[in-house]
mmCIF file with all atom_site columns, all heavy atoms in Angstrom:
data_model
loop_
_atom_site.group_PDB
_atom_site.id
_atom_site.type_symbol
_atom_site.label_atom_id
_atom_site.label_alt_id
_atom_site.label_comp_id
_atom_site.label_asym_id
_atom_site.label_entity_id
_atom_site.label_seq_id
_atom_site.pdbx_PDB_ins_code
_atom_site.Cartn_x
_atom_site.Cartn_y
_atom_site.Cartn_z
_atom_site.occupancy
_atom_site.B_iso_or_equiv
_atom_site.pdbx_formal_charge
_atom_site.auth_seq_id
_atom_site.auth_comp_id
_atom_site.auth_asym_id
_atom_site.auth_atom_id
_atom_site.pdbx_PDB_model_num
ATOM 1   N N   . ALA A 1 199 ? 121.373 52.623 126.201 1.00 0.00 ? 199 ALA A N   1
ATOM 2   C CA  . ALA A 1 199 ? 121.910 51.526 126.999 1.00 0.00 ? 199 ALA A CA  1
ATOM 3   C C   . ALA A 1 199 ? 123.247 52.004 127.460 1.00 0.00 ? 199 ALA A C   1
ATOM 4   O O   . ALA A 1 199 ? 123.709 53.083 127.204 1.00 0.00 ? 199 ALA A O   1
ATOM 5   C CB  . ALA A 1 199 ? 122.138 50.366 125.956 1.00 0.00 ? 199 ALA A CB  1
ATOM 6   N N   . SER A 1 200 ? 123.807 51.169 128.368 1.00 0.00 ? 200 SER A N   1
ATOM 7   C CA  . SER A 1 200 ? 125.130 51.537 128.994 1.00 0.00 ? 200 SER A CA  1
ATOM 8   C C   . SER A 1 200 ? 126.220 51.496 128.009 1.00 0.00 ? 200 SER A C   1
ATOM 9   O O   . SER A 1 200 ? 127.202 52.129 128.164 1.00 0.00 ? 200 SER A O   1
ATOM 10  C CB  . SER A 1 200 ? 125.372 50.553 130.204 1.00 0.00 ? 200 SER A CB  1
ATOM 11  O OG  . SER A 1 200 ? 125.345 49.237 129.735 1.00 0.00 ? 200 SER A OG  1
ATOM 12  N N   . GLU A 1 201 ? 126.010 50.599 126.997 1.00 0.00 ? 201 GLU A N   1
ATOM 13  C CA  . GLU A 1 201 ? 127.020 50.582 125.880 1.00 0.00 ? 201 GLU A CA  1
ATOM 14  C C   . GLU A 1 201 ? 126.859 51.601 124.867 1.00 0.00 ? 201 GLU A C   1
ATOM 15  O O   . GLU A 1 201 ? 125.839 52.071 124.428 1.00 0.00 ? 201 GLU A O   1
ATOM 16  C CB  . GLU A 1 201 ? 126.919 49.197 125.163 1.00 0.00 ? 201 GLU A CB  1
ATOM 17  C CG  . GLU A 1 201 ? 127.194 47.962 126.057 1.00 0.00 ? 201 GLU A CG  1
ATOM 18  C CD  . GLU A 1 201 ? 125.900 47.542 126.830 1.00 0.00 ? 201 GLU A CD  1
ATOM 19  O OE1 . GLU A 1 201 ? 124.871 48.184 126.603 1.00 0.00 ? 201 GLU A OE1 1
ATOM 20  O OE2 . GLU A 1 201 ? 126.048 46.635 127.623 1.00 0.00 ? 201 GLU A OE2 1
ATOM 21  N N   . VAL A 1 202 ? 127.967 52.278 124.579 1.00 0.00 ? 202 VAL A N   1
ATOM 22  C CA  . VAL A 1 202 ? 127.917 53.401 123.557 1.00 0.00 ? 202 VAL A CA  1
ATOM 23  C C   . VAL A 1 202 ? 127.330 52.976 122.245 1.00 0.00 ? 202 VAL A C   1
ATOM 24  O O   . VAL A 1 202 ? 127.751 51.901 121.703 1.00 0.00 ? 202 VAL A O   1
ATOM 25  C CB  . VAL A 1 202 ? 129.292 54.012 123.413 1.00 0.00 ? 202 VAL A CB  1
ATOM 26  C CG1 . VAL A 1 202 ? 129.317 55.095 122.337 1.00 0.00 ? 202 VAL A CG1 1
ATOM 27  C CG2 . VAL A 1 202 ? 129.954 54.470 124.651 1.00 0.00 ? 202 VAL A CG2 1
ATOM 28  N N   . GLY A 1 203 ? 126.392 53.812 121.747 1.00 0.00 ? 203 GLY A N   1
ATOM 29  C CA  . GLY A 1 203 ? 125.800 53.572 120.451 1.00 0.00 ? 203 GLY A CA  1
ATOM 30  C C   . GLY A 1 203 ? 124.601 52.662 120.480 1.00 0.00 ? 203 GLY A C   1
ATOM 31  O O   . GLY A 1 203 ? 123.874 52.581 119.382 1.00 0.00 ? 203 GLY A O   1
ATOM 32  N N   . TYR A 1 204 ? 124.164 52.071 121.626 1.00 0.00 ? 204 TYR A N   1
ATOM 33  C CA  . TYR A 1 204 ? 123.082 51.160 121.777 1.00 0.00 ? 204 TYR A CA  1
ATOM 34  C C   . TYR A 1 204 ? 121.948 51.859 122.574 1.00 0.00 ? 204 TYR A C   1
ATOM 35  O O   . TYR A 1 204 ? 122.184 52.724 123.355 1.00 0.00 ? 204 TYR A O   1
ATOM 36  C CB  . TYR A 1 204 ? 123.511 49.853 122.462 1.00 0.00 ? 204 TYR A CB  1
ATOM 37  C CG  . TYR A 1 204 ? 124.345 48.998 121.600 1.00 0.00 ? 204 TYR A CG  1
ATOM 38  C CD1 . TYR A 1 204 ? 125.722 49.252 121.593 1.00 0.00 ? 204 TYR A CD1 1
ATOM 39  C CD2 . TYR A 1 204 ? 123.840 48.075 120.683 1.00 0.00 ? 204 TYR A CD2 1
ATOM 40  C CE1 . TYR A 1 204 ? 126.614 48.417 120.784 1.00 0.00 ? 204 TYR A CE1 1
ATOM 41  C CE2 . TYR A 1 204 ? 124.653 47.232 120.012 1.00 0.00 ? 204 TYR A CE2 1
ATOM 42  C CZ  . TYR A 1 204 ? 126.089 47.432 120.027 1.00 0.00 ? 204 TYR A CZ  1
ATOM 43  O OH  . TYR A 1 204 ? 126.741 46.656 119.233 1.00 0.00 ? 204 TYR A OH  1
ATOM 44  N N   . PHE A 1 205 ? 120.710 51.412 122.221 1.00 0.00 ? 205 PHE A N   1
ATOM 45  C CA  . PHE A 1 205 ? 119.578 51.866 123.058 1.00 0.00 ? 205 PHE A CA  1
ATOM 46  C C   . PHE A 1 205 ? 119.024 50.545 123.790 1.00 0.00 ? 205 PHE A C   1
ATOM 47  O O   . PHE A 1 205 ? 119.229 49.385 123.280 1.00 0.00 ? 205 PHE A O   1
ATOM 48  C CB  . PHE A 1 205 ? 118.545 52.532 122.283 1.00 0.00 ? 205 PHE A CB  1
ATOM 49  C CG  . PHE A 1 205 ? 117.957 51.793 121.146 1.00 0.00 ? 205 PHE A CG  1
ATOM 50  C CD1 . PHE A 1 205 ? 116.844 50.861 121.226 1.00 0.00 ? 205 PHE A CD1 1
ATOM 51  C CD2 . PHE A 1 205 ? 118.494 51.934 119.840 1.00 0.00 ? 205 PHE A CD2 1
ATOM 52  C CE1 . PHE A 1 205 ? 116.332 50.236 120.128 1.00 0.00 ? 205 PHE A CE1 1
ATOM 53  C CE2 . PHE A 1 205 ? 118.010 51.281 118.792 1.00 0.00 ? 205 PHE A CE2 1
ATOM 54  C CZ  . PHE A 1 205 ? 116.906 50.402 118.970 1.00 0.00 ? 205 PHE A CZ  1
ATOM 55  N N   . SER A 1 206 ? 118.426 50.733 124.909 1.00 0.00 ? 206 SER A N   1
ATOM 56  C CA  . SER A 1 206 ? 117.879 49.541 125.598 1.00 0.00 ? 206 SER A CA  1
ATOM 57  C C   . SER A 1 206 ? 116.365 49.360 125.386 1.00 0.00 ? 206 SER A C   1
ATOM 58  O O   . SER A 1 206 ? 115.807 48.367 125.688 1.00 0.00 ? 206 SER A O   1
ATOM 59  C CB  . SER A 1 206 ? 118.149 49.656 127.159 1.00 0.00 ? 206 SER A CB  1
ATOM 60  O OG  . SER A 1 206 ? 117.449 50.834 127.679 1.00 0.00 ? 206 SER A OG  1
ATOM 61  N N   . ALA A 1 207 ? 115.758 50.530 124.983 1.00 0.00 ? 207 ALA A N   1
ATOM 62  C CA  . ALA A 1 207 ? 114.329 50.502 124.523 1.00 0.00 ? 207 ALA A CA  1
ATOM 63  C C   . ALA A 1 207 ? 113.992 51.630 123.614 1.00 0.00 ? 207 ALA A C   1
ATOM 64  O O   . ALA A 1 207 ? 114.758 52.681 123.555 1.00 0.00 ? 207 ALA A O   1
ATOM 65  C CB  . ALA A 1 207 ? 113.494 50.594 125.783 1.00 0.00 ? 207 ALA A CB  1
ATOM 66  N N   . CYS A 1 208 ? 112.913 51.454 122.775 1.00 0.00 ? 208 CYS A N   1
ATOM 67  C CA  . CYS A 1 208 ? 112.522 52.490 121.978 1.00 0.00 ? 208 CYS A CA  1
ATOM 68  C C   . CYS A 1 208 ? 111.032 52.433 121.795 1.00 0.00 ? 208 CYS A C   1
ATOM 69  O O   . CYS A 1 208 ? 110.455 51.375 121.969 1.00 0.00 ? 208 CYS A O   1
ATOM 70  C CB  . CYS A 1 208 ? 113.185 52.441 120.520 1.00 0.00 ? 208 CYS A CB  1
ATOM 71  S SG  . CYS A 1 208 ? 112.657 51.011 119.496 1.00 0.00 ? 208 CYS A SG  1
ATOM 72  N N   . TRP A 1 209 ? 110.441 53.550 121.423 1.00 0.00 ? 209 TRP A N   1
ATOM 73  C CA  . TRP A 1 209 ? 108.975 53.663 121.208 1.00 0.00 ? 209 TRP A CA  1
ATOM 74  C C   . TRP A 1 209 ? 108.738 54.661 120.029 1.00 0.00 ? 209 TRP A C   1
ATOM 75  O O   . TRP A 1 209 ? 109.350 55.720 120.127 1.00 0.00 ? 209 TRP A O   1
ATOM 76  C CB  . TRP A 1 209 ? 108.301 54.221 122.479 1.00 0.00 ? 209 TRP A CB  1
ATOM 77  C CG  . TRP A 1 209 ? 106.909 54.545 122.275 1.00 0.00 ? 209 TRP A CG  1
ATOM 78  C CD1 . TRP A 1 209 ? 105.742 53.823 122.210 1.00 0.00 ? 209 TRP A CD1 1
ATOM 79  C CD2 . TRP A 1 209 ? 106.436 55.880 122.027 1.00 0.00 ? 209 TRP A CD2 1
ATOM 80  N NE1 . TRP A 1 209 ? 104.643 54.586 122.032 1.00 0.00 ? 209 TRP A NE1 1
ATOM 81  C CE2 . TRP A 1 209 ? 105.043 55.812 121.880 1.00 0.00 ? 209 TRP A CE2 1
ATOM 82  C CE3 . TRP A 1 209 ? 107.082 57.175 121.960 1.00 0.00 ? 209 TRP A CE3 1
ATOM 83  C CZ2 . TRP A 1 209 ? 104.250 56.941 121.664 1.00 0.00 ? 209 TRP A CZ2 1
ATOM 84  C CZ3 . TRP A 1 209 ? 106.312 58.362 121.703 1.00 0.00 ? 209 TRP A CZ3 1
ATOM 85  C CH2 . TRP A 1 209 ? 104.929 58.127 121.571 1.00 0.00 ? 209 TRP A CH2 1
ATOM 86  N N   . CYS A 1 210 ? 107.943 54.182 119.117 1.00 0.00 ? 210 CYS A N   1
ATOM 87  C CA  . CYS A 1 210 ? 107.534 55.161 118.021 1.00 0.00 ? 210 CYS A CA  1
ATOM 88  C C   . CYS A 1 210 ? 106.041 55.074 117.802 1.00 0.00 ? 210 CYS A C   1
ATOM 89  O O   . CYS A 1 210 ? 105.531 54.032 117.868 1.00 0.00 ? 210 CYS A O   1
ATOM 90  C CB  . CYS A 1 210 ? 108.184 54.772 116.716 1.00 0.00 ? 210 CYS A CB  1
ATOM 91  S SG  . CYS A 1 210 ? 110.062 54.976 116.695 1.00 0.00 ? 210 CYS A SG  1
ATOM 92  N N   . GLN A 1 211 ? 105.489 56.184 117.491 1.00 0.00 ? 211 GLN A N   1
ATOM 93  C CA  . GLN A 1 211 ? 103.983 56.093 117.234 1.00 0.00 ? 211 GLN A CA  1
ATOM 94  C C   . GLN A 1 211 ? 103.775 57.109 116.035 1.00 0.00 ? 211 GLN A C   1
ATOM 95  O O   . GLN A 1 211 ? 104.168 58.342 116.123 1.00 0.00 ? 211 GLN A O   1
ATOM 96  C CB  . GLN A 1 211 ? 103.142 56.490 118.366 1.00 0.00 ? 211 GLN A CB  1
ATOM 97  C CG  . GLN A 1 211 ? 101.685 56.292 118.086 1.00 0.00 ? 211 GLN A CG  1
ATOM 98  C CD  . GLN A 1 211 ? 100.802 56.469 119.273 1.00 0.00 ? 211 GLN A CD  1
ATOM 99  O OE1 . GLN A 1 211 ? 100.565 57.484 119.798 1.00 0.00 ? 211 GLN A OE1 1
ATOM 100 N NE2 . GLN A 1 211 ? 100.335 55.230 119.747 1.00 0.00 ? 211 GLN A NE2 1
ATOM 101 N N   . ALA A 1 212 ? 103.265 56.573 114.964 1.00 0.00 ? 212 ALA A N   1
ATOM 102 C CA  . ALA A 1 212 ? 102.946 57.422 113.754 1.00 0.00 ? 212 ALA A CA  1
ATOM 103 C C   . ALA A 1 212 ? 101.452 57.483 113.467 1.00 0.00 ? 212 ALA A C   1
ATOM 104 O O   . ALA A 1 212 ? 100.754 56.382 113.574 1.00 0.00 ? 212 ALA A O   1
ATOM 105 C CB  . ALA A 1 212 ? 103.696 56.952 112.682 1.00 0.00 ? 212 ALA A CB  1
ATOM 106 N N   . GLN A 1 213 ? 100.952 58.614 113.127 1.00 0.00 ? 213 GLN A N   1
ATOM 107 C CA  . GLN A 1 213 ? 99.562  58.864 112.642 1.00 0.00 ? 213 GLN A CA  1
ATOM 108 C C   . GLN A 1 213 ? 99.674  59.092 111.133 1.00 0.00 ? 213 GLN A C   1
ATOM 109 O O   . GLN A 1 213 ? 100.388 60.066 110.764 1.00 0.00 ? 213 GLN A O   1
ATOM 110 C CB  . GLN A 1 213 ? 98.821  59.908 113.387 1.00 0.00 ? 213 GLN A CB  1
ATOM 111 C CG  . GLN A 1 213 ? 98.486  59.702 114.804 1.00 0.00 ? 213 GLN A CG  1
ATOM 112 C CD  . GLN A 1 213 ? 99.643  59.800 115.739 1.00 0.00 ? 213 GLN A CD  1
ATOM 113 O OE1 . GLN A 1 213 ? 100.392 60.715 115.616 1.00 0.00 ? 213 GLN A OE1 1
ATOM 114 N NE2 . GLN A 1 213 ? 99.763  58.966 116.687 1.00 0.00 ? 213 GLN A NE2 1
ATOM 115 N N   . ILE A 1 214 ? 99.083  58.259 110.299 1.00 0.00 ? 214 ILE A N   1
ATOM 116 C CA  . ILE A 1 214 ? 99.151  58.380 108.941 1.00 0.00 ? 214 ILE A CA  1
ATOM 117 C C   . ILE A 1 214 ? 97.724  58.491 108.345 1.00 0.00 ? 214 ILE A C   1
ATOM 118 O O   . ILE A 1 214 ? 96.865  57.612 108.444 1.00 0.00 ? 214 ILE A O   1
ATOM 119 C CB  . ILE A 1 214 ? 99.790  57.047 108.397 1.00 0.00 ? 214 ILE A CB  1
ATOM 120 C CG1 . ILE A 1 214 ? 101.266 56.928 108.873 1.00 0.00 ? 214 ILE A CG1 1
ATOM 121 C CG2 . ILE A 1 214 ? 99.831  57.173 106.829 1.00 0.00 ? 214 ILE A CG2 1
ATOM 122 C CD1 . ILE A 1 214 ? 101.972 55.620 108.505 1.00 0.00 ? 214 ILE A CD1 1
ATOM 123 N N   . LEU A 1 215 ? 97.609  59.538 107.600 1.00 0.00 ? 215 LEU A N   1
ATOM 124 C CA  . LEU A 1 215 ? 96.346  59.923 106.964 1.00 0.00 ? 215 LEU A CA  1
ATOM 125 C C   . LEU A 1 215 ? 96.421  59.625 105.478 1.00 0.00 ? 215 LEU A C   1
ATOM 126 O O   . LEU A 1 215 ? 97.319  60.180 104.846 1.00 0.00 ? 215 LEU A O   1
ATOM 127 C CB  . LEU A 1 215 ? 95.890  61.370 107.145 1.00 0.00 ? 215 LEU A CB  1
ATOM 128 C CG  . LEU A 1 215 ? 94.565  61.757 106.471 1.00 0.00 ? 215 LEU A CG  1
ATOM 129 C CD1 . LEU A 1 215 ? 93.421  61.050 106.980 1.00 0.00 ? 215 LEU A CD1 1
ATOM 130 C CD2 . LEU A 1 215 ? 94.397  63.314 106.611 1.00 0.00 ? 215 LEU A CD2 1
ATOM 131 N N   . PHE A 1 216 ? 95.646  58.654 104.923 1.00 0.00 ? 216 PHE A N   1
ATOM 132 C CA  . PHE A 1 216 ? 95.775  58.213 103.579 1.00 0.00 ? 216 PHE A CA  1
ATOM 133 C C   . PHE A 1 216 ? 94.786  59.213 102.736 1.00 0.00 ? 216 PHE A C   1
ATOM 134 O O   . PHE A 1 216 ? 93.977  59.955 103.284 1.00 0.00 ? 216 PHE A O   1
ATOM 135 C CB  . PHE A 1 216 ? 95.214  56.819 103.342 1.00 0.00 ? 216 PHE A CB  1
ATOM 136 C CG  . PHE A 1 216 ? 96.196  55.827 103.892 1.00 0.00 ? 216 PHE A CG  1
ATOM 137 C CD1 . PHE A 1 216 ? 96.190  55.440 105.247 1.00 0.00 ? 216 PHE A CD1 1
ATOM 138 C CD2 . PHE A 1 216 ? 96.999  55.075 103.046 1.00 0.00 ? 216 PHE A CD2 1
ATOM 139 C CE1 . PHE A 1 216 ? 97.140  54.667 105.736 1.00 0.00 ? 216 PHE A CE1 1
ATOM 140 C CE2 . PHE A 1 216 ? 97.859  54.188 103.551 1.00 0.00 ? 216 PHE A CE2 1
ATOM 141 C CZ  . PHE A 1 216 ? 98.011  53.916 104.814 1.00 0.00 ? 216 PHE A CZ  1
ATOM 142 N N   . LYS A 1 217 ? 95.170  59.165 101.460 1.00 0.00 ? 217 LYS A N   1
ATOM 143 C CA  . LYS A 1 217 ? 94.291  60.176 100.554 1.00 0.00 ? 217 LYS A CA  1
ATOM 144 C C   . LYS A 1 217 ? 92.944  59.791 100.464 1.00 0.00 ? 217 LYS A C   1
ATOM 145 O O   . LYS A 1 217 ? 92.121  60.693 100.094 1.00 0.00 ? 217 LYS A O   1
ATOM 146 C CB  . LYS A 1 217 ? 95.037  60.145 99.122  1.00 0.00 ? 217 LYS A CB  1
ATOM 147 C CG  . LYS A 1 217 ? 96.414  60.920 99.109  1.00 0.00 ? 217 LYS A CG  1
ATOM 148 C CD  . LYS A 1 217 ? 96.976  61.100 97.808  1.00 0.00 ? 217 LYS A CD  1
ATOM 149 C CE  . LYS A 1 217 ? 98.242  61.868 97.799  1.00 0.00 ? 217 LYS A CE  1
ATOM 150 N NZ  . LYS A 1 217 ? 98.949  62.076 96.494  1.00 0.00 ? 217 LYS A NZ  1
ATOM 151 N N   . ASN A 1 218 ? 92.542  58.512 100.769 1.00 0.00 ? 218 ASN A N   1
ATOM 152 C CA  . ASN A 1 218 ? 91.195  58.210 100.757 1.00 0.00 ? 218 ASN A CA  1
ATOM 153 C C   . ASN A 1 218 ? 90.484  58.442 102.085 1.00 0.00 ? 218 ASN A C   1
ATOM 154 O O   . ASN A 1 218 ? 89.432  57.980 102.395 1.00 0.00 ? 218 ASN A O   1
ATOM 155 C CB  . ASN A 1 218 ? 90.959  56.739 100.447 1.00 0.00 ? 218 ASN A CB  1
ATOM 156 C CG  . ASN A 1 218 ? 91.620  55.833 101.443 1.00 0.00 ? 218 ASN A CG  1
ATOM 157 O OD1 . ASN A 1 218 ? 92.145  56.205 102.456 1.00 0.00 ? 218 ASN A OD1 1
ATOM 158 N ND2 . ASN A 1 218 ? 91.749  54.510 101.187 1.00 0.00 ? 218 ASN A ND2 1
ATOM 159 N N   . GLU A 1 219 ? 91.194  59.218 103.026 1.00 0.00 ? 219 GLU A N   1
ATOM 160 C CA  . GLU A 1 219 ? 90.709  59.633 104.379 1.00 0.00 ? 219 GLU A CA  1
ATOM 161 C C   . GLU A 1 219 ? 90.814  58.501 105.361 1.00 0.00 ? 219 GLU A C   1
ATOM 162 O O   . GLU A 1 219 ? 90.300  58.678 106.525 1.00 0.00 ? 219 GLU A O   1
ATOM 163 C CB  . GLU A 1 219 ? 89.322  60.281 104.183 1.00 0.00 ? 219 GLU A CB  1
ATOM 164 C CG  . GLU A 1 219 ? 89.282  61.464 103.400 1.00 0.00 ? 219 GLU A CG  1
ATOM 165 C CD  . GLU A 1 219 ? 87.919  62.235 103.503 1.00 0.00 ? 219 GLU A CD  1
ATOM 166 O OE1 . GLU A 1 219 ? 86.908  61.486 103.859 1.00 0.00 ? 219 GLU A OE1 1
ATOM 167 O OE2 . GLU A 1 219 ? 87.826  63.490 103.110 1.00 0.00 ? 219 GLU A OE2 1
ATOM 168 N N   . MET A 1 220 ? 91.402  57.326 105.071 1.00 0.00 ? 220 MET A N   1
ATOM 169 C CA  . MET A 1 220 ? 91.721  56.264 106.080 1.00 0.00 ? 220 MET A CA  1
ATOM 170 C C   . MET A 1 220 ? 92.720  56.839 107.059 1.00 0.00 ? 220 MET A C   1
ATOM 171 O O   . MET A 1 220 ? 93.759  57.450 106.656 1.00 0.00 ? 220 MET A O   1
ATOM 172 C CB  . MET A 1 220 ? 92.261  55.049 105.287 1.00 0.00 ? 220 MET A CB  1
ATOM 173 C CG  . MET A 1 220 ? 92.570  53.928 106.241 1.00 0.00 ? 220 MET A CG  1
ATOM 174 S SD  . MET A 1 220 ? 91.104  53.058 106.789 1.00 0.00 ? 220 MET A SD  1
ATOM 175 C CE  . MET A 1 220 ? 91.840  51.932 107.873 1.00 0.00 ? 220 MET A CE  1
#
Side-chain angles (χ1 to χ4, degrees):
S200 55
E201 298 83 6
V202 176
Y204 290 87
F205 57 89
S206 63
C208 69
W209 166 85
C210 295
Q211 188 170 77
Q213 289 77 41
I214 299 173
L215 177 63
F216 288 80
K217 289 186 177 179
N218 63 4
E219 298 188 340
M220 176 78 183

